[in-house]
Amino acid sequence: MRTPARGSRPRDRKAQLAAVAAGLFRARGFHGVGINDIAAAAGVTGPALYRHFADKQAILAYVVLAGIDDMEAVTASALSGASDQLEVLLTGLATQAVERREIAALWRWEGPHLPRDERREIRRRSGAVLDAWTKALLATRPDLSVDDAEFLCWGALSVFGSVAVHHTTVARRRFVPLLVELATAVLNSTLPSGGSAEPVRDGLGTPSRREQVLAAATALFGERGFHAVSMEDIGAAAGIAGPSVYRHFPSKAALMVAIGHRAADRLALAAEQALRAPDERSALRRLAASYVHTLLHTPELLVSFTADRVTMPDRDKADLLRVQRDYVDQWVALLAAIDPTSPAREAKIRVHAALTIANDLTRTRRVGGRANLEAELTALLHAVLECAVP
């Protein structure tokens, strides 16, 4: 984003500063960005920034609430029409996601850093928007229950939010229709009935003290977030004194690195087993199923996706990022083998949308208690991955 030269006076400096901050929050996470970082990126001084915002939380609140404003406006406009409301809604949301990519999902996952009152307001307003989407979907799919319709709407929302978790892009004239296509596939999905998740069995024997510390840290990071947990908290949860934790891990950052590597190892093992399939289509479906199963039954994986990578040493960040990219490339290669005519970038956008649905809905409390969640998430991933496959 171009920033005006010092001395120029943009028409809305506050909105411009917030847009710069949104890009930084998306790239580094809330805790990875300081006031001086935002000021430098915007080409202003720290005191100049404070003339518009009291602190970093105020900037985040402005960005997040602006995103909610936009979503409400698109929803109200689309659903006030006489016909094709759902198609108009999806096109409006896709356009918004592409044009304001830096805040496409910021309101959902950076919102916890806001004061309680603002978090409550975000939940209320976003819930009202989802209720409106649910009613619109039920008007076209009366076969659905209210809960199932809401579940599908959350999945469609994740399609639009997925553009914020990667940098792959295509021309806008194709990007918007592609997102609409993927969201439509989600909303048209038939959710599986019956079935039950495979029980997770305890391992044999007693885990080592190091494993106990790692498990305690994983649980606490998942519940409270990395920055709200101390080494003393981890020690208490593991049944040892805080200083004793340092015998196993030199820092919280080292714990997060270990969690990241553990998650990567489990994904790699699940992928290796899934890829032992007779053909590429079967392999892709097995890979999707293995991802959802691993995500639901491996706490390290969920924590690694919510981690603030700025806490890790650069070498470990680069290594884990490479592992993630290699994993995504496996999915893209399978799609390319199934449909060689599909552009590689579009295949990558499709894969990221599928992964984001699983990541998001696993963390969304309003749908997390569904009895058949594993099979349902797998079905949504299949829908997104295969909606254009011949």
Side-chain angles (χ1 to χ4, degrees):
M1 175 180 293
R2 292 186 59 188
T3 56
R6 294 179 187 273
S8 65
R9 294 184 178 274
R11 299 176 69 179
D12 191 348
R13 173 59 65 85
K14 188 170 186 177
Q16 181 206 39
L17 295 173
V20 171
L24 293 175
F25 290 146
R26 174 196 172 199
R28 307 181 195 173
F30 180 75
H31 289 288
V33 179
I35 285 288
N36 289 336
D37 297 323
I38 299 170
V44 301
T45 64
L49 187 60
Y50 282 117
R51 286 201 290 271
H52 298 280
F53 297 101
D55 53 29
K56 192 171 65 166
Q57 273 191 326
I59 302 175
L60 179 61
Y62 183 96
V63 170
V64 168
L65 291 172
I68 297 289
D69 288 342
D70 291 344
M71 192 164 62
E72 288 174 333
V74 168
T75 300
S77 175
L79 299 186
S80 64
S83 62
D84 298 327
Q85 292 183 345
L86 209 53
E87 182 178 352
V88 173
L89 174 62
L90 296 181
T91 300
L93 293 169
T95 301
Q96 183 184 94
V98 171
E99 291 181 347
R100 303 195 66 184
R101 194 167 180 172
E102 72 279 2
I103 62 171
L106 198 63
W107 66 272
R108 289 189 70 188
W109 304 125
E110 296 297 343
H113 299 301
L114 296 174
R116 180 177 299 176
D117 288 346
E118 288 174 330
R119 294 201 307 269
R120 186 181 298 114
E121 178 70 3
I122 290 168
R123 285 196 298 269
R124 181 189 68 79
R125 292 173 61 184
S126 61
V129 169
L130 262 294
D131 287 343
W133 296 2
T134 300
K135 291 177 182 177
L137 179 58
L138 287 169
T140 64
R141 291 197 60 185
D143 58 298
L144 294 171
S145 68
V146 173
D147 287 344
D148 286 352
E150 181 182 314
F151 177 75
L152 294 178
C153 287
W154 277 110
L157 176 62
S158 292
V159 168
F160 301 125
S162 68
V163 303
V165 302
H166 64 90
H167 298 283
T168 305
T169 191
V170 293
R172 182 183 178 278
R173 65 180 180 275
R174 176 54 187 153
F175 208 163
V176 169
L178 177 59
L179 293 179
V180 172
E181 174 188 319
L182 301 181
T184 300
V186 170
L187 297 182
N188 289 340
S189 295
T190 299
L191 295 175
S193 59
S196 59
E198 179 182 325
V200 180
R201 298 177 176 85
D202 294 332
L204 298 176
T206 302
S208 68
R209 181 65 74 184
R210 185 180 188 278
E211 286 297 313
Q212 293 176 37
V213 170
L214 188 61
T218 301
L220 290 174
F221 291 160
E223 292 170 6
R224 307 180 195 172
F226 177 86
H227 295 274
V229 177
S230 67
M231 293 293 263
E232 288 72 21
D233 295 331
I234 296 168
I240 61 177
S244 298
V245 176
Y246 291 99
R247 298 177 184 172
H248 306 281
F249 298 94
S251 64
K252 280 203 305 177
L255 272 161
M256 186 56 77
V257 169
I259 289 170
H261 282 293
R262 175 66 57 81
D265 289 344
R266 293 190 175 180
L267 270 186
L269 177 61
E272 180 183 351
Q273 294 172 342
L275 293 174
R276 296 171 184 167
D279 56 74
E280 288 84 358
R281 191 185 297 267
S282 298
L284 184 63
R285 294 180 70 87
R286 288 186 184 183
L287 193 58
S290 77
Y291 183 78
V292 172
H293 182 81
T294 306
L295 186 64
L296 286 172
H297 301 303
T298 306
E300 295 91 349
L301 185 57
L302 195 57
V303 169
S304 70
F305 282 124
T306 59
D308 187 348
R309 291 290 171 80
V310 75
T311 61
M312 296 183 182
D314 289 342
R315 180 176 178 178
D316 292 298
K317 282 191 290 187
D319 188 35
L320 287 172
L321 182 60
R322 177 188 57 76
V323 170
Q324 283 189 357
R325 286 175 175 169
D326 289 346
Y327 181 71
V328 170
D329 286 345
Q330 288 181 303
W331 294 62
V332 174
L334 287 174
L335 274 178
I338 296 169
D339 182 13
T341 65
S342 177
R345 289 186 177 184
E346 290 190 16
K348 186 169 288 189
I349 290 169
R350 190 181 300 274
V351 167
H352 277 295
L355 295 175
T356 302
I357 288 172
N359 298 340
D360 280 2
L361 269 62
T362 303
R363 292 182 282 168
T364 300
R365 292 183 179 179
R366 285 181 65 164
V367 303
R370 293 175 66 89
N372 203 26
L373 182 61
E374 183 169 333
E376 291 172 338
L377 285 178
T378 302
L380 295 191
L381 267 62
H382 290 166
V384 167
L385 292 168
E386 299 176 12
C387 62
V389 173

